[in-house]
Each structure stands twice: as structure tokens, then as C-alpha cells.
Amino acid sequence: MSSPVLLIDDDGQLLHATAQTLELAGFDVTPLARATDAVGSIDSGFAGVVVSDIRMPGMDGLQLFERIRAIDAEIPVILVTGHGDIPTAVKAIQDGVYDFIAKPFPAERLIQCVHRAAEKRNLVMENRRLKHAARQAEDDFPLIGQTMAMDRLRQTLRQIADTDVDVLVTGETGSGKEVVARLLHGWSRRSKGNFVALNCGALPEQVIESELFGHEPGAFTGAQKKRVGRIEHSSGGTLFLDELESMPLSTQIQMLRVLEMREVTPLGTNEVRPVDIRIVAAAKIDLADPEQRKTFREDLYYRLNVVSLTIPPLRERREDIPLLFSYFAERAARRFQREAPPLSAAILKHLAEHDWPGNVRELSHFAERAVLGMMPPAARQTTTAPAGGDGGTLPERLERVEAQIIRDTLSAHGGDVQETIAALGIPRKTFYDKLQRHGIVRRDFTQKTDG
């Protein structure tokens, strides 16, 4: 989608020529002869860039900038100036103008400047959209997502939440299996009962049976008090069994009876106690595959697999990653009492290219580190900041402007020194001094290696 550009200039011929230049570069240009017409076309939802001449009858470019800044201070405004207006333009940059371009200018200089401004505006709008979506998605955390897979998952959860069917959830580590279980519990009439979670892989075989079924005093060495097991404690609510594939074989046999009879016999007693439970089980492997299932009982798998849900890994729903990052960053910012970092191009690139083997959990930790300023090098912003307002003192911003103008002019003239000096209108010695100061290598811009 092409970025919109409002182009304002009272010189009809220049307006037409500049509009054509930007349209050929792929921008959606609206040419206007008066600044007052532009004001009526702009609101805080304007997703583009404003390019305006400074000297115009009626409302001039600086007055237009002030009006735009009052509407939305993050709309990039680029001012086109004559040589006599450069001191004024420098002051405007200090006030927040994105950039200024001095006449006459190479077409490529304008295109690059508008392109950078459009990228910045796109990031601003994306940040706003994601923050709004993250706030709206609080109830679905962390099933936040706009992909079809997540939409189907949410719909399925709401359809089955208020039933008593047992559910088997499959997904990679960190994908949000427990959150699915908690949503099923929270969205059901069982929400008034207990949500009881047990990680089957975290307990040794000799302990898990006591944890699940409970025990009476003296049932085994060290059993001094009666203990209500997790199954009985979850009666009327939901029992979540995580890492089900790790459950010992002997416990699987006992769980099969619990599922069939809906009753439990604590260790050390012959008393049978009825339980009203719903089980949500989660596995990191595909229990339907005999090779992955290994020693897990097939009959227990089929008994639990009344409804099966699969949570897709992040790498299969990359469109949701920026939204999740925004949510986690906002949450971490509140927790650490810091400002949430905006979504820069570098962060977006890292979010898109990383495989996220730890899924939602890994992304959450990454967002926390970002809020604390501890991002990896790959996610740090390394590009040169635009001239108009991405930080630094005024002299530092002007240095960036000057360096970019020299690079653009060298590029436009294929690295030819004479043509570049003539276009810049500066002495040769000054030109070479500036190359050295800005670290610009002329040969990088030559169309072919010198003989």
C-alpha cells in the first residue's frame, strides 16, 4: 500500500512536477495550492507525510506546521526552502519539523526524505494500532492474535467452555497451554470451583500418586496428616494436568479409572469418594502418534481426547507477534515503572526473523528485556536517525542533515567530485573536509572502480 503525501506549493508548475516525481516513486500524492486546504484534510488518523513550501500567500509553511502539530505532533512535516529560508528552517527543526530540503534539490533527495518520513509515520501508526488492540485483548491474554488460527481457537474455547467434556491441548513449550485451560475454566460455570494445576513431569513417581489421589495418615512413611489430593480438591472445578506424556505408567492406570468412574480412592483407605471433575490435559508431543506416545497408554489417550485443541507456535502466526510484543511491553512497563519502547524498524525486523522456539513465554521475556533496555544487538536501532526529530541536539541533527545531503548528492552524480561540488556549491577543500568529518568514502558512490 502506497503512503499518502500531502504536497502544498503555490507555484503551479513546481507543484505539478514535484507531484509527478513522488507519484513515480510510488507515493499517493494529493497536490494542493493552499495550506488552508491541507488543514482540512488532516486528522490524527492521517497515515502519511506532509511536504510544504515555506513561502506561500495566506498561511505559510511554518503556520501550517503549527496547525498540524496541534492536531498530531507525530505527523512528519517536510519543509521546502529557498536559500534565504534556511535559518528559518533550522529553527523549525528545533521545533519539531521532520526535515527541510533546500531548493534546488535532486529528485532522489526528496524521494529518500519522504520515504524515511513515511516509514516513521507507518511505525507510529502501527504502534498506536497495536497498543489499542492489546488493550482490547486483555480478556483473551495471551490468546491475543488476529490470525485465522487464533480466531478459530478462541471460538472453539467459547463453544466448549460451558460443557463438561475433557479436553486435550497440544502445543510446544511456552505456547500457552495452561492459559487455554484457565480460559476454559474461567469461561465456564465451573469458574466458581477450584482451578487445580499439576505438572506431571515435575514430580517423581513416588510423589505424584499422593498429590493426585491424596492419602490418609500412616498411608506411607512420613504421611502424618490427611491430605486431600488434587483430584478431590478440583471437584466442582477444573483439573489441569500439564506434561501429561510424563505421567508414570502406574498412575496412568489409576487415572483411567478416575476418568471412567468419576471417583477417587485416597492412599491408605478403601473409601471411594465421588468427584465432579473436568480434566484439561496438555502435552508437548502428539499423543496420537504411536512413535511419540511410546509408553503412554492408548486407552487413556482416547479417554482424554474427547476434544482436542492445538495451539500453533509463534513461527506459524507471525502476524500476531508485534501485537503480543506490544501487550507484553505495556505490561512490563507498568511492572517496572518504565516507558514501553516504541516498535522501531529494528525491533520489527527481529520479531519477524527470529524463530521464537520458546513461543509466547520467550516473547514475553524479550519484551521485558526491551523495557529494561537490554535488547540483543540484532534488535537495536542501527540506522541513521532522520534529521527532524529522532533525538540529539540541534547541532547533531544538522550534522546528520549535512551528511545525508552529501551522500545523496554523491549518489545522484555517481561519485563524481566536480559535479558534486558544483551541485553543493562549496569549495573543494571544504568538500573533502566534510567527507572526512562525516566518515564518507567517495568511492562507495562511484558507478565503477577508478582505473
Side-chain angles (χ1 to χ4, degrees):
M1 182 177 177
S2 57
S3 297
V5 175
L6 284 183
L7 179 65
I8 305 102
D9 199 318
D10 63 318
D11 185 328
Q13 289 186 341
L14 186 57
L15 179 67
H16 178 71
T18 307
Q20 277 192 330
T21 297
L22 292 173
E23 285 170 352
L24 289 172
F27 296 104
D28 181 12
V29 183
T30 300
L32 300 169
R34 296 183 304 174
T36 51
D37 295 335
V39 173
S41 304
I42 294 174
D43 57 25
S44 60
F46 177 66
V49 180
V50 177
V51 180
S52 175
D53 192 18
I54 285 187
R55 292 182 179 273
M56 293 182 293
M59 182 185 295
D60 64 21
L62 292 173
Q63 292 170 322
L64 173 62
F65 164 67
E66 291 297 334
R67 294 286 295 273
I68 293 173
R69 184 167 64 169
I71 296 169
D72 184 346
E74 293 186 289
I75 294 176
V77 177
I78 299 169
L79 296 179
V80 179
T81 71
H83 287 297
D85 296 321
I86 289 180
T88 304
V90 169
K91 174 64 168 58
I93 282 183
Q94 192 174 24
D95 292 337
V97 165
Y98 179 82
D99 203 349
F100 72 88
I101 301 176
K103 300 176 184 177
F105 52 84
E108 189 60 29
R109 160 77 172 129
L110 175 66
I111 292 169
Q112 289 179 0
C113 185
V114 174
H115 179 72
R116 288 195 302 271
E119 284 185 338
K120 179 179 180 180
R121 185 59 177 170
N122 287 339
L123 284 173
V124 167
M125 300 303 288
E126 180 69 359
N127 271 282
R128 291 179 183 177
R129 183 188 70 79
L130 291 173
K131 287 181 179 180
H132 175 74
R135 287 192 294 269
Q136 296 297 313
E138 290 275 352
D139 291 339
D140 293 335
F141 163 74
L143 296 184
I144 298 171
Q146 300 170 335
T147 53
M148 189 177 296
M150 295 307 293
D151 188 48
R152 284 198 303 265
L153 180 57
R154 283 192 296 269
Q155 289 180 14
T156 302
L157 288 177
R158 292 192 181 276
Q159 287 171 358
I160 67 173
D162 221 16
T163 68
D164 282 337
V165 295
D166 296 324
V167 179
L168 180 62
V169 184
T170 304
E172 295 180 0
T173 298
S175 58
K177 297 184 289 294
E178 181 171 346
V179 177
V180 165
R182 288 187 180 276
L183 286 176
L184 284 171
H185 176 74
W187 289 346
S188 75
R189 57 178 175 269
R190 289 182 170 271
S191 60
K192 296 179 181 179
N194 295 320
F195 177 87
V196 181
L198 178 71
N199 189 315
C200 300
L203 297 174
E205 184 173 353
Q206 60 270 27
V207 175
I208 192 171
E209 289 188 12
S210 173
E211 285 290 325
L212 278 171
F213 305 108
H215 62 259
E216 295 295 313
F220 52 85
T221 303
Q224 298 177 356
K225 297 180 180 180
K226 176 181 176 179
R227 178 179 176 83
V228 176
R230 303 287 182 98
I231 297 173
E232 191 174 354
H233 186 54
S234 68
S235 185
T238 304
L239 176 64
F240 173 59
L241 299 175
D242 198 7
E243 296 192 25
L244 185 68
E245 69 278 5
S246 301
M247 180 178 284
L249 186 58
S250 60
T251 310
Q252 293 178 39
I253 298 171
Q254 292 173 285
M255 277 303 303
L256 186 60
R257 179 171 177 79
V258 172
L259 286 165
E260 290 174 345
M261 305 304 294
R262 299 290 161 166
E263 60 186 30
V264 64
T265 304
L267 301 178
T269 181
N270 292 325
E271 180 185 354
V272 176
R273 299 172 186 171
V275 288
D276 172 24
I277 61 170
R278 179 196 203 172
I279 293 181
V280 180
K284 293 185 293 185
I285 64 172
D286 182 6
L287 292 175
D289 183 354
E291 291 187 6
Q292 295 187 52
R293 190 166 63 231
K294 296 181 181 178
T295 60
F296 193 85
R297 290 179 64 96
E298 186 177 20
D299 51 359
L300 179 56
Y301 161 69
Y302 284 117
R303 186 64 187 81
L304 282 169
N305 190 30
V306 180
V307 174
S308 181
L309 300 174
T310 300
I311 305 177
L314 278 183
R315 63 180 175 276
E316 292 181 6
R317 55 182 185 108
R318 290 190 174 276
E319 298 91 336
D320 292 335
I321 294 176
L323 176 58
L324 278 164
F325 173 83
S326 183
Y327 173 85
F328 288 130
E330 289 289 333
R331 191 181 67 170
R334 292 193 296 269
R335 175 185 170 192
F336 300 131
Q337 297 183 341
R338 299 279 189 91
E339 288 291 326
L343 267 177
S344 66
I347 291 178
L348 279 173
K349 185 173 184 291
H350 180 73
L351 294 177
E353 294 180 353
H354 187 61
D355 281 340
W356 303 106
N359 291 291
V360 176
R361 187 179 300 130
E362 181 187 359
L363 180 59
S364 172
H365 293 164
F366 172 75
E368 290 178 354
R369 291 194 298 272
V371 170
L372 294 172
M374 299 169 61
M375 287 183 293
R380 294 174 190 158
Q381 185 64 271
T382 57
T383 55
T384 302
D390 281 16
T393 64
L394 179 58
E396 288 171 344
R397 295 184 194 181
L398 292 177
E399 284 286 296
R400 293 198 295 265
V401 171
E402 183 178 78
Q404 191 60 50
I405 290 174
I406 293 172
R407 291 190 184 96
D408 292 344
T409 311
L410 277 167
S411 179
H413 295 284
D416 186 279
V417 173
Q418 285 296 120
E419 293 180 6
T420 301
I421 289 173
L424 292 172
I426 58 176
R428 177 181 291 268
K429 183 180 185 305
T430 302
F431 172 72
Y432 281 110
D433 287 344
K434 291 182 182 295
L435 290 186
Q436 184 175 9
R437 185 169 77 249
H438 296 305
I440 299 172
V441 181
R442 183 187 64 83
R443 287 181 179 273
D444 292 345
F445 300 87
T446 56
Q447 295 175 345
K448 61 181 180 179
T449 305
D450 295 339

